[in-house]
Amino acid sequence: MNPDRYNRCCFYCTHNETLHERMIEIKPLHVSTFYLNRDQTHRGRSIVALNWHVDELFQLSNVERNEFADDVAHAAQTLAKVFSPDKINYAIYGDSVSHLHVHLVPKYKTDFDWDDAFVNNPSEPKKLTEYDYQNLIQGIKANLVYEEDLE
Ligand SMILES: [Zn+2]
């Protein structure tokens, strides 16, 4: 990876404390990293973040964009396998943290926000114990789809 592609101000690039306060790494994927969001208002809420810094999807080459989309698809398929949601929501925002990342949110028809956008930064995020986060991560890792392709 070209070090010039990293942004020293971005927590996805520096892996600083802010990143660890917000998410826990599940697994490195091909060109990205799969994280569990510490807010579990929606069980299984995750993030797939590109391994280098770009602000916009259109700044990737066609090959890179396809590889990133494959990673997102594999992560989403894994979440579908583990949580059996009615739908997975995908969100790319990046107003305050522009580094390209996709929020993956398993949703159910019984959810309070079904048929609406999930709240990205809820006023009362649902936090779990470290033990419960690790159990969730182990369950996800045990069900990774196409794991052999992601190493
Ligand atoms: Zn970055």
Side-chain angles (χ1 to χ4, degrees):
M1 202 68 64
N2 180 346
D4 292 341
R5 297 173 107 179
Y6 291 93
N7 178 335
R8 288 166 205 237
C9 303
C10 164
F11 67 68
Y12 284 111
C13 288
T14 60
H15 296 107
N16 68 12
E17 199 53 40
T18 303
L19 181 135
H20 299 297
E21 286 168 4
R22 296 190 187 191
M23 62 198 75
I24 304 167
E25 183 174 321
I26 298 170
K27 191 172 189 338
L29 302 179
H30 189 55
V31 294
S32 64
T33 304
F34 189 14
Y35 294 100
L36 184 73
N37 195 310
R38 285 188 185 270
D39 168 40
Q40 287 293 300
T41 302
H42 293 282
R43 191 163 173 82
R45 181 181 179 183
S46 306
I47 291 169
V48 174
L50 187 70
N51 284 342
W52 63 93
H53 193 102
V54 300
D55 292 337
E56 306 294 347
L57 203 53
F58 60 74
Q59 293 170 328
L60 296 177
S61 69
N62 288 342
V63 169
E64 292 167 337
R65 196 165 48 250
N66 283 336
E67 289 173 331
F68 184 61
D70 280 350
D71 282 358
V72 171
H74 288 170
Q77 196 172 354
T78 298
L79 294 176
K81 190 174 166 189
V82 175
F83 299 102
S84 302
D86 292 313
K87 180 69 182 82
I88 294 174
N89 285 185
Y90 305 78
I92 301 177
Y93 298 135
D95 289 354
S96 57
V97 183
S98 63
H99 186 123
L100 181 60
H101 63 284
V102 180
H103 296 273
L104 300 177
V105 180
K107 298 269 292 281
Y108 302 88
K109 290 177 181 172
T110 53
D111 281 340
F112 66 98
D113 55 357
W114 178 257
D115 208 26
D116 207 344
F118 69 91
V119 175
N120 190 32
N121 295 306
S123 56
E124 293 181 29
K126 181 173 183 182
K127 298 290 180 78
L128 308 180
T129 63
E130 288 303 318
Y131 179 81
D132 287 341
Y133 283 129
Q134 289 307 320
N135 271 344
L136 209 47
I137 287 170
Q138 289 313 313
I140 293 169
K141 287 173 94 164
N143 287 283
L144 276 170
V145 173
Y146 306 129
E147 186 171 18
E148 68 280 5
D149 295 334
L150 302 176
E151 296 291 351

